[in-house]
Amino acid sequence: MNQHFTPYQISGIAKLLTYKNSLTPEADENRLPFKAALRKIPGAFKKKQAQSFINIFCEHLLADTDYDALQQNPIQYHSLQQDIEKMPLDSILKTITFIIWTDRSVEGYFYAKMHDKTLFYLLSRLESVFLQLRF
């Protein structure tokens, strides 16, 4: 984290990390293909967790809509998980922003990204970067 993050934003990141395990699919839902996950209606608990996560992300001013570069860069490693493991903090926040904003036009996108574990991998990387920083 650079000096351009406020204590309020740092607090928001800490709050987001508490959602890492609650935004993962149930064991029996792990095998859903992406298109099936788009159509799956999450349970009330998952809806509340997701909405709370999105609220914290936006209220703590972590959204970064400058994600054009992310869309132009192909996966550099063998998997999305490996790519995420190398992401810098700004790319993590841009990717989460992209997922949230895309869900507004493609209903179910956020939940599909829960099911394919993208959000779990992003939050795991965020946690790793966050813990390495000195404030």
Side-chain angles (χ1 to χ4, degrees), residues 59-78:
E59 289 170 5
H60 284 80
L61 308 174
L62 297 169
D64 185 346
T65 58
D66 185 23
Y67 45 73
D68 287 339
L70 295 176
Q71 294 174 309
Q72 295 171 9
N73 292 334
I75 292 177
Q76 298 175 357
Y77 301 96
H78 295 289

Side-chain angles (χ1 to χ4, degrees), residues 7-103:
Y8 186 65
Q9 289 173 308
I10 293 167
S11 168
I13 290 172
K15 289 178 183 179
L16 291 177
L17 294 177
T18 65
Y19 287 83
K20 184 173 84 172
N21 293 321
S22 65
L23 291 179
T24 57
E26 302 299 326
D28 61 335
E29 295 177 344
N30 278 332
R31 298 173 192 239
L32 282 178
F34 185 76
K35 288 186 178 183
L38 276 173
R39 293 187 299 268
K40 180 164 177 53
I41 299 170
F45 174 76
K46 291 288 186 192
K47 283 183 183 179
K48 282 183 177 180
Q49 292 295 95
Q51 192 55 56
S52 181
F53 175 88
I54 291 168
N55 290 344
I56 289 169
F57 188 80
C58 294
E59 289 170 5
H60 284 80
L61 308 174
L62 297 169
D64 185 346
T65 58
D66 185 23
Y67 45 73
D68 287 339
L70 295 176
Q71 294 174 309
Q72 295 171 9
N73 292 334
I75 292 177
Q76 298 175 357
Y77 301 96
H78 295 289
S79 72
L80 178 63
Q81 181 180 2
Q82 288 178 329
D83 219 31
I84 290 171
E85 288 173 357
K86 305 295 183 196
M87 278 186 178
L89 180 60
D90 65 324
S91 293
I92 296 167
L93 297 177
K94 288 176 184 182
T95 303
I96 294 172
T97 303
F98 177 79
I99 291 169
I100 291 169
W101 267 223
T102 301
D103 187 68

